Amino acid sequence: LESVGQKDGRAVRSLELPASKPLHLEHAYASTVHSAQGLTNDKAMIALDTTSRTTSLNLYYVAISRARHEARIYTNSV
């Protein structure tokens, strides 16, 4: 990682990856809240429809509590 300058007062960084070496990739997948019970991740992005008959406060709690450091909630309503 090397700094290559500034843009809008922030440092712009560049990262070169060698094409001769295989990359370790960690795949991420979406899952339902129910299947995520008992699992923990560093970050969680949660998309819930507030008009769904299956959405409840308990569902929000389970979804949010899966995240160790950060949980972002996306809904169709403020």
Side-chain angles (χ1 to χ4, degrees), residues 27-36 39 41 44-47:
H27 297 282
Y29 298 94
S31 65
T32 65
V33 173
H34 296 290
S35 68
L39 301 177
N41 286 308
M45 293 184 352
I46 303 151

Side-chain angles (χ1 to χ4, degrees), residues 10-62:
R10 294 179 290 177
V12 177
R13 295 194 163 93
S14 170
L15 175 65
E16 282 192 38
L17 300 173
S20 61
K21 293 182 179 179
L23 295 175
H24 170 75
L25 298 176
E26 190 171 314
H27 297 282
Y29 298 94
S31 65
T32 65
V33 173
H34 296 290
S35 68
Q37 281 185 312
L39 301 177
T40 302
N41 286 308
D42 288 339
K43 297 179 181 181
M45 293 184 352
I46 303 151
L48 292 173
D49 183 358
T50 60
T51 59
S52 171
R53 293 187 314 189
T54 60
T55 300
S56 67
L57 291 177
N58 293 338
L59 191 69
Y60 279 96
Y61 173 77
V62 171

